Amino acid sequence: MSYNAPGTPNPYAAYPPQAPAPAPAPQSKAVGPLLMIATIMMGLMAGLFFAYDISVMPGLAKTDDRTYVDAMQNFNALIDGNGLFGMAFIGALLAAAVAAFLEFRRGRRGTALWIGAAAVLYLVALMITFSVNIPLNNELAAAGDPAKITDFSIVDKFKGTWETSNIVRTLVCTAALGFLARALVLHGRNTGSSAAGVPAMRPYGV
């Protein structure tokens, strides 16, 4: 026990009590799995579009118009009826959007912005698909049996408009995949900091 005479400075006055560190934000166990799902599905979609760019469409271009139409009709019919494709096609957007919302709500805006940007880019790919590629696919299907077709002008549209829009879809999805990969890194850092008892950083940038 110590005693200070009146008028004597308190030696402990220079060391005021420290405020307790803020408690880390509660963990959301759903964000990690959602980010993984979004990244995997985005990679699948980017890979599908890329495969068309470098192999399917160039290979069909070396065939005659009747074979071109027949093959594309079969490709489209198989993809339209494939549940795995539908899951990846829609799931990439839904998983990214929900993960972005959860991260933003927790205050991790830097990570949320990367995920949100990926979702927006993929939404652009979907808009291209529904406004360009699907209408052309429907027009090709409406042409009927390739053995009975006499006007193959639709092939020119595919070699021009469809293939060009698919290249754009590939670039957009690849960029979105990169954004999700960056978000995974940031999410991992934040999760590691919170687990160690360090308050999670909430950066706006990267």
Side-chain angles (χ1 to χ4, degrees):
M1 182 174 180
S2 61
Y3 172 77
N4 292 322
T8 302
N10 186 349
Y12 298 102
Y15 304 95
Q18 298 294 320
Q27 291 292 320
S28 175
K29 296 181 180 180
V31 175
L34 282 172
L35 260 179
M36 287 295 296
I37 291 171
T39 304
I40 291 171
M41 291 187 174
M42 193 71 71
L44 290 174
M45 294 306 303
L48 175 65
F49 296 146
F50 182 63
Y52 269 85
D53 291 336
I54 65 170
S55 61
V56 176
M57 306 313 289
L60 288 179
K62 296 181 179 297
T63 65
D64 60 88
D65 290 346
R66 200 175 304 278
T67 301
Y68 191 107
V69 171
D70 190 23
M72 283 302 300
Q73 285 181 339
N74 289 328
F75 293 156
N76 292 333
L78 288 172
I79 287 179
D80 288 344
N82 192 293
L84 290 176
F85 168 78
M87 182 175 62
F89 186 68
I90 300 300
L93 177 63
L94 293 179
V98 175
F101 171 76
L102 292 176
E103 286 291 81
F104 185 84
R105 189 176 65 175
R106 296 187 61 218
R108 293 177 174 175
R109 299 185 180 181
T111 308
L113 285 174
W114 281 101
I115 306 172
V120 170
L121 284 175
Y122 187 65
L123 186 60
V124 171
L126 292 182
M127 292 173 62
I128 293 172
T129 299
F130 284 107
S131 62
V132 179
N133 298 87
I134 290 180
L136 285 175
N137 291 344
N138 292 338
E139 185 177 346
L140 187 68
D145 186 355
K148 300 178 181 179
I149 297 176
T150 57
D151 181 10
F152 288 95
S153 59
I154 184 64
V155 174
D156 294 330
K157 294 180 182 180
F158 266 79
K159 290 181 178 179
T161 306
W162 198 99
E163 293 181 9
T164 300
S165 66
N166 192 70
I167 292 173
V168 176
R169 291 192 298 180
T170 302
L171 295 175
V172 169
C173 286
T174 302
L177 179 61
F179 286 4
L180 289 175
R182 178 59 180 166
L184 276 172
V185 173
L186 293 177
H187 176 73
R189 290 176 181 174
N190 289 334
T191 302
S193 297
S194 298
V198 180
M201 297 181 65
R202 301 178 179 181
Y204 283 87
V206 293

